Amino acid sequence: MGIHSVTNAAIHLQNAARARIGLTSIPNTKYNLRLALAMHRAGLLASVTRGGPKPPPPEAILSGDDGEEVTSANVATRRIWLGLKYWNNEPVFKTVQPVSKPKRLVTATLDDLQKITRGFKAGMVRGLTLGETLFLSTDRGVLEAREAVARKVGGLLLCRVS
Amino acid sequence: MPGCEAKTSDGDNDDDNTWHDNNSTLSNSGSSLHRLSARRRPRFANVRASDMGLMDEKQIEEFTKEKFPKYRPEELAHLGKIYSPEQMAALEAGEAAIDPRDLTVQGRLRADPYRMPYIDDFAETQPVIDKRARNKAPPDPHARFMNLDEFAQDLIDWSDKLPQGEVTGSLKRLEDFVPEAYRARPETQWPTEVREDARKKFQRYMEGEVTKQQKALNAKGSDALSDIGSGPTDADILQYILERSVMTDANRQTDSSLAPALPNKVPGVAGLYKTVIDPEDQGKDDLGVYQDVKRRTGMTVREILNLRDKQLLVRDVSNQTRLGKVRSCSVIHVVGNGDGWLGYGEAKATETQLAFRKARINALLNLRPIRRYENRTIYGSITAKVSATIVKMEARPPGFGLRVPYRIFEMCRAAGIHDLSASMPRARNPMNSIKAAYWALCNQPDPEEMAMARGKKLVDARKVYYGGAVY
């Protein structure tokens, strides 16, 4: 499965945050949705809502569902609407750096992840510093590095966000 | 020593003998030249000096006596009045050193291109060449500014010396043409007919006076103008304003251009510019340098003086104007209490010491808290960039020390940071590195803010394990 779409989505979020945008959308794919939910769990996003080409109404954002069923007829127009967070006039989702790129995929074993989450270098991957999060794709879905360590899995490193 | 003296005198005698020998040899050779063959004899025979009587000792003596006489006693007495005894001794030594006969025989008026442009006996000063003569007495050291009475008296003295003309009071006034009864009253209270009558008479009188003076002028000619003119001329008044002394030195003229100093206590100003010394300062700031800082920061002078301060950078800068380069000194100074407070001050002045002081005071006013993790290192890692200079700082474990460039080391020491690593991977410009480091120290990430922003609970593991006894 290619990772360019998730990388693009992550970079789009960084651009949107720098433009101080409150609600933005990324293409509706399962991979994007899993990454978005992982970021939501990490507290980087305010909301994740599946909707159409138009922004969903506020109540739909609160519930996370605009009520419209995804069918084969409308699936191509579905998008994932993401609420961005700001704190003290600064975006919470400030910078993102892709780790794997379509040309070179980077994976990390559990041992590597344990080092990285403690702030030490593992292979080519720098350790996490204060406030940094690392998202990786595992067989348990897209997880944050610390979640992966808790579940004792390694995987494909997607991007680091701080 | 006598032996030495004897030797020297012997040597002198030897020299004298040699000179005489040479002389005789020269005269001999001269005579041999005279006896040349007829073939070598010049066609136009030169006249020998001895034949003209120029080498006649008698004539030389006469000429010398006439042209270069010795000082007469009265001349010496007169010189003694002008010159000090030391100068007189030097003058006499100079006179004794030059034989007047030498002046006659050897003295020549120079005709070469490098001669002095004038022949002078230095009797007169030439303003461009010579220094100004300073013959006047020194200023009166006890002179003071005149008070009002002295000033009035001085003015009267001055005016008395001026040629006296028609005194203003001698002309009749308008009041002189009214009857006795009205003379005491002011003009406005006079009856109309009396006033008009008096004015007519006064005008006739004035016209008469003018024609009288005109006639006198014509009779005496224009030379008499000063006699008739009343009081000082404009030139006199200008001279009074510019040259009359306002001191009690009887208008003494001196060579000194120094103006007399103001008295110690100028009335009206005395006591106004006294610096108020605060007894709380315990005599540590009598010059009042830190009074403003004290007022604005609330620190005591003792606290201010106990701060750690370091001058990090001194640069010589110049402003190019059409008048040339105006040089000044630019200084960056940091101040810290060694316990989490750091101030950065930048100042520029033409005087180096003033720039130092300004920079220090700016740093004192800029004091701000620096976040420290466990009071020893920074939070996380920070990167700051100013121009091409990037400063990367990373928190380090206890006991790591300050492995940082020396300017950042001084800042850390002032701020009370003990464990830190920093690197400057790109440009290492001194000024930009200081600015970037200061920005980095002031803009550290705050984990608690981050936790709040992400809606997470934050626990510092170091404070949880080992009962928090980690430092």
Side-chain angles (χ1 to χ4, degrees):
Chain A
M1 191 158 49
I3 60 147
H4 67 277
S5 71
V6 280
T7 308
N8 286 350
I11 292 292
H12 172 71
L13 284 178
Q14 174 182 282
N15 292 342
R18 287 183 182 178
R20 297 294 193 272
I21 282 166
L23 191 67
T24 186
S25 69
I26 56 175
N28 175 33
T29 63
K30 282 191 267 183
Y31 212 163
N32 276 354
L33 181 64
R34 284 177 192 140
L35 178 66
L37 289 171
M39 287 177 173
H40 187 254
R41 281 200 304 277
L44 296 169
L45 297 176
S47 65
V48 180
T49 313
R50 183 148 48 199
K54 292 276 168 58
E59 62 273 14
I61 292 172
L62 281 177
S63 66
D65 186 13
D66 71 342
E68 195 174 336
E69 200 147 325
V70 183
T71 63
S72 56
N74 68 4
V75 69
T77 59
R78 293 304 92 187
R79 291 187 72 78
I80 301 169
W81 289 88
L82 304 173
L84 296 175
K85 270 184 167 181
Y86 299 91
W87 185 261
N88 284 348
N89 274 336
E90 285 293 319
V92 175
F93 191 107
K94 208 181 231 170
T95 53
V96 65
Q97 269 184 311
V99 181
S100 289
K101 293 171 191 179
K103 191 172 177 181
R104 190 188 70 172
L105 301 177
V106 181
T107 55
T109 62
L110 178 60
D111 281 351
D112 294 341
L113 279 182
Q114 281 170 341
K115 283 183 191 164
I116 291 164
T117 49
R118 286 190 179 107
F120 299 107
K121 194 177 147 186
M124 295 297 287
V125 185
R126 279 185 291 113
L128 294 178
T129 60
L130 182 63
E132 248 187 343
T133 51
L134 175 66
F135 291 95
L136 67 158
S137 174
T138 67
D139 54 357
R140 311 272 184 90
V142 175
L143 300 175
E144 210 271 311
R146 293 168 187 94
E147 290 176 328
V149 170
R151 295 178 191 195
K152 299 191 188 320
V153 287
L156 175 69
L157 304 181
L158 298 179
C159 57
R160 50 204 307 159
V161 182
S162 60
Chain B
M1 288 190 290
C4 284
E5 276 171 23
K7 261 187 192 171
T8 332
S9 59
D10 285 348
D12 282 350
N13 288 342
D14 288 348
D15 283 349
D16 286 351
N17 293 338
T18 339
W19 186 79
H20 285 301
D21 289 347
N22 282 345
N23 219 16
S24 55
T25 341
L26 274 175
S27 58
N28 285 340
S29 62
S31 55
S32 66
L33 276 173
H34 184 62
R35 290 191 297 273
L36 278 172
S37 61
R39 191 166 45 86
R40 298 288 301 273
R41 194 173 296 156
R43 287 170 65 197
F44 306 101
N46 296 324
V47 183
R48 297 177 68 200
S50 53
D51 294 345
M52 289 175 73
L54 293 180
M55 288 180 73
D56 184 10
E57 278 301 322
K58 216 181 215 173
Q59 281 183 337
I60 287 172
E61 213 163 286
E62 268 174 30
F63 184 86
T64 308
K65 258 188 191 164
E66 187 196 334
K67 293 290 180 188
F68 310 111
K70 288 202 166 178
Y71 280 122
R72 294 196 302 277
E74 60 265 29
E75 282 176 335
L76 281 174
H78 179 67
L79 285 174
K81 282 180 198 165
I82 300 172
Y83 298 114
S84 64
E86 292 83 15
Q87 285 172 325
M88 283 302 292
L91 215 127
E92 277 161 14
E95 285 287 323
I98 297 172
D99 188 358
R101 186 184 181 280
D102 290 347
L103 283 176
T104 309
V105 178
Q106 300 173 6
R108 295 285 179 272
L109 286 181
R110 287 176 64 174
D112 57 315
Y114 309 108
R115 67 183 184 274
M116 296 295 280
Y118 62 94
I119 307 164
D120 201 351
D121 61 353
F122 306 107
E124 290 175 353
T125 50
Q126 300 200 8
V128 176
I129 298 160
D130 301 325
K131 280 188 178 173
R132 191 158 59 89
R134 292 169 183 277
N135 301 327
K136 291 172 184 166
D140 182 5
H142 302 297
R144 54 175 175 76
F145 285 94
M146 287 189 281
N147 61 28
L148 203 58
D149 295 338
E150 287 163 344
F151 183 78
Q153 188 57 48
D154 182 64
L155 185 60
I156 291 165
D157 292 347
W158 171 75
S159 63
D160 282 348
K161 284 179 189 160
L162 291 169
Q164 298 295 316
E166 185 84 58
V167 186
T168 321
S170 70
L171 280 175
K172 284 184 179 175
R173 292 173 302 168
L174 186 62
E175 287 85 346
D176 297 329
F177 297 95
V178 288
E180 286 284 340
Y182 301 114
R183 215 164 269 180
R185 296 192 208 165
E187 193 186 334
T188 43
Q189 291 177 10
W190 297 343
T192 322
E193 59 270 25
V194 172
R195 194 191 302 149
E196 282 182 359
D197 187 42
R199 278 186 180 171
K200 269 179 196 168
K201 281 180 183 167
F202 181 62
Q203 198 169 357
R204 215 175 299 138
Y205 163 74
M206 288 303 286
E207 281 166 4
E209 282 292 311
V210 168
T211 45
K212 209 193 285 174
Q213 290 206 353
Q214 203 70 43
K215 272 181 195 167
L217 249 183
N218 292 340
K220 287 188 176 179
S222 56
D223 292 344
L225 194 67
S226 60
D227 292 344
I228 291 167
S230 57
T233 61
D234 287 352
D236 288 333
I237 292 168
L238 194 66
Q239 197 182 19
Y240 175 80
I241 292 167
L242 295 180
E243 294 176 13
R244 192 84 174 172
S245 172
V246 290
M247 313 284 291
T248 56
D249 55 1
N251 209 26
R252 188 202 281 191
Q253 301 291 311
T254 68
D255 287 321
S256 173
S257 59
L258 270 182
L262 285 174
N264 271 342
K265 287 179 182 175
V266 181
V269 184
L272 286 180
Y273 289 90
K274 214 186 226 171
T275 44
V276 181
I277 297 172
D278 191 351
E280 272 185 19
D281 300 344
Q282 298 162 345
K284 291 182 185 300
D285 188 27
D286 287 349
L287 293 176
V289 175
Y290 297 116
Q291 292 306 308
D292 190 41
V293 179
K294 200 175 83 169
R295 187 174 55 77
R296 290 165 73 172
T297 59
M299 288 189 288
T300 63
V301 171
R302 176 184 276 272
E303 282 168 349
I304 291 172
L305 293 175
N306 281 345
L307 292 174
R308 290 180 188 181
D309 69 310
K310 189 76 184 175
Q311 197 171 283
L312 289 187
L313 181 64
V314 182
R315 295 182 311 146
D316 277 333
V317 293
S318 56
N319 175 22
Q320 179 74 52
T321 68
R322 62 179 184 167
L323 301 173
K325 283 175 184 155
V326 180
R327 297 190 184 282
S328 45
C329 182
S330 168
V331 180
I332 293 180
H333 205 101
V334 288
V335 166
N337 67 347
D339 195 21
W341 282 74
L342 184 67
Y344 164 94
E346 204 177 327
K348 199 164 68 172
T350 45
E351 296 282 328
T352 317
Q353 290 304 319
L354 180 63
F356 292 170
R357 204 161 69 219
K358 273 164 71 178
R360 181 170 151 74
I361 283 172
N362 284 348
L364 286 168
L365 295 176
N366 268 341
L367 271 174
R368 60 181 66 177
I370 301 289
R371 297 167 46 72
R372 291 182 300 164
Y373 179 66
E374 290 179 351
N375 288 346
R376 55 169 189 85
T377 187
I378 60 167
Y379 281 89
S381 59
I382 330 161
T383 304
K385 179 172 178 290
V386 173
S387 191
T389 303
I390 292 178
V391 172
K392 283 183 178 173
M393 287 186 180
E394 294 214 27
R396 284 290 179 254
F400 184 84
L402 291 173
R403 303 189 199 172
V404 294
Y406 75 97
R407 289 194 179 86
I408 301 177
F409 176 88
E410 295 295 348
M411 295 170 83
C412 291
R413 220 156 75 108
I417 291 170
H418 308 297
D419 303 309
L420 190 72
S421 76
S423 66
M424 289 190 279
R426 280 176 60 186
R428 297 165 60 86
N429 178 296
M431 187 168 175
N432 291 341
S433 62
I434 297 166
K435 285 183 175 173
Y438 188 65
W439 187 91
L441 289 176
C442 291
N443 289 277
Q444 297 174 37
D446 184 352
E448 294 197 359
E449 287 279 309
M450 270 179 193
M452 276 194 274
R454 291 180 192 176
K456 295 283 178 189
K457 183 186 173 187
L458 176 85
V459 174
D460 185 354
R462 277 175 64 81
K463 287 177 184 161
V464 172
Y465 289 93
Y466 318 116
V470 289
Y471 185 57

